[in-house]
């Protein structure tokens, strides 16, 4: 009995404590919930019946707060208030929430929110797909579309398929693009103008120009975008004649269509037709001028490119960069400097990294160290953050101008060094004869840099050749073949032949000769044959000359060099045999010609007779006490 009473009391105590907790919780619930934002002031004299919550619209205080969110933290506070207010599933609220999350770049949170929405619609899905496409994630956009829209039977609208087709283009998936086309037909959107224009662009992008034309032809209504998309599709796929035919049929034309046609002719190298269209344009824009400048740059016509450039009413940085790059390509370094000075004086456009790279390249070729320093100071003074290409251009400029200390300083400052940067530093040391320094940089690159490529070994082998580092050069060549598994090219063999020739180790070149590709080895064999003549290595010279005769039967050079080597050692019978072979093959050494150029004598002119040239040479040489005895038709070669 006492035990039952005890247990009863215990239960009563527990019940009492539970009751107290319940009462306390009710007291907490009765309190007004805390405010995340201060209440908005009401106009004075507002009746009490108007204090009810405002009707839900874009003017709702919470939605206005939502539109002003700039971070995910602020969004979380507003969203929590919407949940507590019971508004989180309202269609207007869900659309604004997804739109805001996408606008602040929180697409992952938008996807999570989308999955929690009870009544999903096409607007929500389209917003997320569009955001993913704009972020460059076409594959992610297609995955979301397939799983969260198609997989959950969310009905599309006419905005859905243009976005999905754009995602297919970004992801490079023609199979999914064709599926999207079929789904558009199924839902009756194929005749929609926006969908049809997107289909034309998609098929043209994937090179299916026939399918694009089918979509174009079956459309009941066409607009300017449809015509432009089809013309641009033909141009991008290389069918310029079909593009021109369609262009001539266009009822209306805008600057985009004109530019597409000009681009097509420029790509085909037909600058005459491109110029005709350019001159016929009623209205031109900066793209039109840039396209023509690029076309003239491809054929190296600076004067016509400059004519277009000077007559452009508006120019952008691409216009200036194209002209500067053209001057550099044509080795018109002074023209590049004048154009850059004009750009800085007019202050029309602010130079970018591409601008400065062209100027630094011209500076390196011209050896203008002062201008190079000015460009470098401009980069520092204007807070331009150089990329790896601009750093490399600075390095090359200092190296070619002989300022190796500044080149090393730039190299050490580079946060990210590409293989081109390392190659440039190796080449710079080799160019100035610092073979040991070049090897140090190469070894450092092997330890902590990117993998060397073919150009790396051309640089290091050339550096070894200039410094006479025979053993080091052989080691680098062996490392290239054995460790990095790089197949030697003609440039590598050329460096090795140069290395051995400079060191007089011509006999060691025999192993290399059997490995040099026959088709591309002619220049190397010629250089090696000249080295054999200089070093009086007749045996190797015979071998090299024989290979050269096999590669170029009509070239008289190997015969002449071989004949000279035999003559140097007094083997006149061999000399006569070489001459007999030359006569049998119809090879004849061309007569010498006189070249004395001081700007007043032109011996290359066909109007100058042999006697006239001979008399001029005699009179010139007689002034310095020389005597000329002419016993043949040949004229003494005087090279200045």
């Amino acid at each position: 009995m006492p035990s039952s009473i005890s247990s009863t009391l215990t239960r009563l105590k527990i019940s009492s404590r539970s009751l107290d907790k319940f009462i306390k919780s009710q007291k907490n619930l009765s309190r007004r919930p805390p405010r995340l934002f201060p209440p908005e002031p009401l106009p004075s004299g507002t009746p009490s019946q108007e204090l009810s919550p405002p009707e839900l619209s874009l003017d709702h205080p919470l939605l206005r707060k939502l539109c002003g969110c700039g971070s995910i933290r602020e969004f979380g506070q507003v969203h929590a208030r919407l949940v507590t207010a019971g508004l989180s599933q309202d269609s207007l609220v869900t659309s604004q929430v997804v739109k805001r999350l996408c606008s602040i770049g929180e697409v992952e949170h938008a996807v999570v929110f989308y999955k929690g929405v009870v009544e999903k619609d096409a607007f929500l899905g389209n917003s997320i797909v569009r955001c993913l496409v704009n972020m460059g994630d076409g594959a992610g956009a297609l995955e979301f579309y397939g799983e969260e829209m198609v997989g959950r039977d969310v009905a599309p609208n006419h905005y859905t398929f243009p976005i999905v087709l754009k995602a297919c283009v970004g992801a490079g998936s023609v199979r999914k693009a064709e599926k999207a086309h079929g789904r558009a037909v199924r839902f009756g959107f194929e005749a929609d103008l926006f969908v049809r224009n997107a289909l034309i662009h998609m098929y043209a992008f994937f090179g299916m120009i026939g399918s694009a034309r089918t979509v174009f032809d079956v459309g009941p209504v066409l607009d300017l975008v449809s015509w432009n998309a089809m013309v641009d599709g033909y141009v991008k796929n290389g069918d310029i004649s079909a593009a021109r035919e369609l262009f001539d049929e266009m009822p209306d034309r805008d600057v985009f269509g004109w530019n597409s046609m000009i681009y097509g002719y420029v790509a085909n190298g037909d600058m005459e037709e491109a110029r005709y269209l350019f001159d016929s344009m009623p209205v031109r824009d900066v793209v039109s001028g840039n396209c023509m400048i690029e076309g003239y740059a491809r054929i190296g016509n600076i004067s016509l490119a400059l004519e277009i450039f000077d007559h452009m009413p508006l120019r952008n940085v691409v216009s200036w960069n194209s002209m500067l790059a053209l001057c550099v390509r044509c080795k018109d370094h002074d023209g590049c400097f004048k154009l850059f000075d004009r750009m800085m004086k007019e202050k029309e456009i602010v130079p970018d990294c591409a601008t400065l790279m062209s100027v630094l390249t011209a500076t390196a070729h011209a050896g203008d160290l002062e201008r190079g320093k000015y460009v470098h100071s401009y980069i520092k003074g204007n807070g331009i953050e150089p990329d790896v290409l601009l750093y490399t251009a600075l390095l090359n400029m200092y190296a070619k101008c002989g300022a190796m200390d500044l080149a090393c300083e730039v190299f050490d400052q580079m946060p990210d060094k590409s293989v081109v940067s390392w190659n440039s530093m190796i080449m710079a040391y080799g160019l100035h004869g610092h073979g040991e320094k070049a090897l140090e940089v190469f070894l450092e690159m092997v330890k902590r840099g990117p993998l060397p490529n073919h150009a790396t070994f051309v640089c290091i082998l050339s550096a070894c050749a200039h410094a006479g580092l025979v053993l080091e050069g052989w080691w680098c060549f062996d490392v290239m073949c054995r460790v990095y598994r790089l197949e030697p090219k003609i440039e590598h063999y050329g460096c090795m032949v140069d290395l051995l020739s400079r060191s007089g180790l011509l006999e060691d070149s025999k192993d290399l000769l059997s490995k040099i590709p026959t088709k591309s080895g002619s220049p190397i064999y010629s250089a090696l044959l000249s080295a054999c003549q200089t070093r009086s290595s007749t045996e190797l010279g015979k071998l090299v000359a024989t290979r050269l005769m096999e590669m170029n039967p009509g070239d008289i050079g190997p015969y002449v060099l071989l004949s000279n080597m035999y003559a140097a050692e007094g083997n006149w019978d061999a000399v006569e045999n070489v001459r007999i072979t030359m006569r049998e093959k119809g090879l004849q050494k061309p007569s010498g010609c006189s070249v004395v150029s001081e700007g007043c004598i032109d011996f290359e002119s066909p109007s100058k007779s042999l006697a006239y040239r001979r008399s001029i040479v005699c009179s010139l040489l007689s002034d310095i006490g020389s005597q000329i005895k002419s016993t043949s038709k040949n004229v003494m070669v005087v090279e200045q």
Side-chain angles (χ1 to χ4, degrees):
M1 188 68 179
S3 61
S4 61
I5 295 173
S6 177
S7 61
T8 301
L9 291 173
T10 302
R11 286 196 299 272
L12 287 174
K13 290 178 180 180
I14 295 173
S15 299
S16 177
R17 287 196 298 269
S18 300
L19 183 60
D20 292 339
K21 290 182 179 179
F22 176 75
I23 292 172
K24 289 180 179 180
S25 66
Q26 292 301 311
K27 289 181 180 179
N28 291 333
L29 287 176
S30 64
R31 296 176 182 175
R32 179 174 294 182
R35 289 183 176 273
L36 294 175
F37 304 98
E40 301 211 0
L42 294 173
S44 59
T46 303
S48 58
Q49 61 267 23
E50 294 185 12
L51 294 177
S52 57
E55 205 173 295
L56 191 61
S57 66
L58 290 177
D59 292 331
H60 192 282
L62 289 177
L63 291 183
R64 288 205 305 268
K65 295 289 184 183
L66 180 67
C67 293
C69 293
S71 65
I72 189 63
R73 182 178 180 180
E74 295 178 8
F75 168 81
Q77 293 176 351
V78 179
H79 185 227
R81 187 72 181 95
L82 289 168
V83 171
T84 59
L87 301 175
S88 62
Q89 291 296 325
D90 186 89
S91 60
L92 180 60
V93 172
T94 55
S95 63
Q96 293 301 310
V97 166
V98 170
K99 181 180 177 181
R100 194 60 195 167
L101 284 172
C102 291
S103 66
I104 63 176
E106 296 291 340
V107 65
E108 295 180 358
H109 288 85
V111 172
V112 172
F113 176 82
Y114 175 88
K115 292 180 179 180
V117 175
V118 177
E119 296 182 3
K120 301 176 177 64
D121 59 16
F123 179 85
L124 301 179
N126 294 348
S127 298
I128 296 176
V129 173
R130 183 185 294 107
C131 181
L132 290 169
V133 170
N134 292 338
M135 293 171 59
D137 188 8
L142 292 177
E143 182 181 357
F144 174 85
Y145 169 73
E147 294 180 358
E148 300 298 333
M149 295 185 71
V150 177
R152 296 183 182 274
D153 294 327
V154 177
N157 58 21
H158 66 283
Y159 292 110
T160 302
F161 294 103
I163 303 170
V164 172
L165 291 171
K166 188 176 181 180
C168 294
V169 169
S173 177
V174 63
R175 185 176 62 87
K176 292 185 178 180
E178 290 175 336
K179 284 186 176 182
H181 187 183
R183 189 170 170 81
V185 173
R186 176 186 169 190
F187 282 90
F189 292 110
E190 186 183 24
D192 184 85
L193 187 59
F194 297 118
V195 176
R196 191 168 65 254
N197 290 343
L199 287 169
I200 294 172
H201 173 74
M202 178 271 296
Y203 281 123
F205 176 83
F206 287 116
M208 304 169 68
I209 196 66
S211 299
R213 186 58 189 262
T214 301
V215 175
F216 178 84
D217 290 335
V218 300
V221 180
L222 298 173
D223 64 354
L224 188 59
V225 177
S226 311
W227 289 89
N228 285 340
M230 199 64 236
V231 169
D232 187 64
Y234 277 126
V235 169
K236 296 293 177 58
N237 286 274
D239 194 349
I240 190 66
S241 59
R244 182 60 181 272
E245 182 180 352
L246 195 65
F247 178 77
D248 292 337
E249 296 176 4
M250 290 179 66
D252 296 308
R253 300 169 184 165
D254 63 353
V255 69
F256 181 87
W258 286 94
N259 288 342
S260 295
M261 288 303 307
I262 291 175
Y263 170 82
Y265 284 115
V266 167
N268 283 4
D270 189 353
M271 289 306 300
E272 182 178 351
E273 194 64 28
R275 183 60 185 265
Y276 171 77
L277 289 177
F278 180 80
D279 293 337
S280 303
M281 289 182 68
V283 178
R284 307 185 188 101
D285 62 359
V286 68
V287 177
S288 313
N290 290 346
C291 192
M292 291 299 298
I293 292 174
E294 176 63 24
Y296 286 126
R298 292 187 180 187
I299 62 176
N301 195 325
I302 298 180
S303 59
L304 290 178
L306 189 60
E307 176 188 340
I308 297 292
F309 179 83
D310 288 336
H311 287 84
M312 290 177 66
L314 292 176
R315 309 182 189 96
N316 58 10
V317 70
V318 177
S319 313
W320 289 93
N321 290 349
S322 299
M323 283 302 306
L324 290 170
L326 173 59
C327 292
V328 173
R329 192 184 312 167
C330 296
K331 302 187 186 315
D332 184 9
H333 306 137
D334 290 336
C336 179
F337 298 149
K338 291 178 181 178
L339 200 62
F340 178 68
D341 293 340
R342 173 182 167 187
M343 181 181 185
M344 299 299 294
K345 182 179 180 180
E346 294 181 3
K347 298 181 180 180
E348 180 181 337
I349 296 295
V350 178
D352 62 1
C353 289
T355 310
L356 301 173
M357 278 183 58
S358 295
V359 178
L360 287 172
T361 303
T363 303
H365 286 293
D368 191 347
L369 181 59
E370 292 304 318
R371 181 177 289 272
K373 289 181 178 180
Y374 165 75
V375 174
H376 195 180
S377 64
Y378 178 85
I379 294 172
K380 294 178 180 178
N382 288 272
I384 298 175
E385 190 64 30
D387 56 10
V388 64
L389 295 177
L390 186 55
Y391 267 124
T392 305
L394 277 169
L395 190 157
N396 279 329
M397 181 273 297
Y398 282 129
K400 290 185 177 181
C401 291
M404 283 304 299
D405 52 343
L406 295 176
C408 294
E409 182 180 334
V410 171
F411 183 75
D412 293 336
Q413 291 175 354
M414 295 178 67
D416 298 315
K417 300 180 179 69
S418 67
V419 65
V420 179
S421 310
W422 289 93
N423 293 351
S424 300
M425 200 64 215
I426 295 171
M427 179 196 68
Y429 278 123
L431 193 66
H432 293 85
H434 304 308
E436 295 83 0
K437 287 283 188 180
L439 277 171
E440 290 178 8
V441 176
F442 174 72
L443 294 175
E444 186 179 359
M445 177 183 182
V446 170
K447 290 179 182 179
R448 62 183 188 88
L451 286 177
N453 57 13
H454 282 92
T456 307
F457 286 98
V458 171
C459 294
I460 189 61
L461 289 175
S462 177
C464 291
H466 280 81
L469 303 177
V470 180
L471 294 179
E472 291 83 351
W474 270 115
W475 177 80
C476 292
F477 189 81
D478 178 67
V479 166
M480 177 184 69
C481 301
R482 182 173 50 84
V483 177
Y484 292 100
R485 305 291 183 184
L486 296 175
E487 186 70 23
K489 295 184 178 181
I490 192 66
E491 294 84 2
H492 304 105
Y493 288 115
C495 290
M496 289 303 298
V497 169
D498 186 30
L499 173 64
L500 297 173
S501 300
R502 288 171 182 260
S503 304
L505 302 174
L506 299 180
E507 296 298 326
D508 294 327
S509 302
K510 291 182 179 179
D511 293 336
L512 285 175
L513 292 179
S514 60
K515 300 177 183 178
I516 297 177
T518 304
K519 293 183 179 180
S520 56
S522 179
I524 296 178
Y525 278 94
S526 299
L528 185 58
L529 184 58
S530 298
C532 292
Q533 182 185 12
T534 304
R535 302 282 179 175
S536 301
S537 181
T538 307
E539 295 300 321
L540 182 59
K542 293 178 184 177
L543 176 62
V544 176
T546 303
R547 292 290 298 273
L548 272 174
M549 294 171 188
E550 294 173 355
M551 287 187 284
N552 300 313
D555 186 10
I556 197 173
Y559 296 92
V560 174
L561 290 177
L562 186 60
S563 174
N564 291 340
M565 281 190 286
Y566 284 136
E569 65 181 13
N571 191 348
W572 301 109
D573 293 336
V575 171
E576 185 62 25
N577 291 333
V578 172
R579 292 182 177 178
I580 291 173
T581 304
M582 292 170 58
R583 284 195 296 269
E584 290 176 351
K585 293 186 176 183
L587 300 176
Q588 184 177 1
K589 186 176 182 297
S591 300
C593 62
S594 180
V595 180
V596 180
S597 70
E598 281 293 343
C600 58
I601 301 176
D602 182 13
F603 281 172
E604 295 182 357
S605 175
S607 62
K608 305 299 182 182
S609 64
L610 180 62
Y612 176 78
R613 292 185 235 168
R614 186 178 299 164
S615 63
I616 292 294
V617 172
C618 292
S619 61
L620 287 173
L621 294 181
S622 62
D623 292 339
I624 57 175
S626 299
Q627 294 181 352
I628 296 179
K629 294 182 179 181
S630 177
T631 58
S632 65
K633 294 182 179 180
N634 293 337
V635 180
M636 178 179 294
V637 177
V638 180
E639 293 185 353
Q640 181 172 355

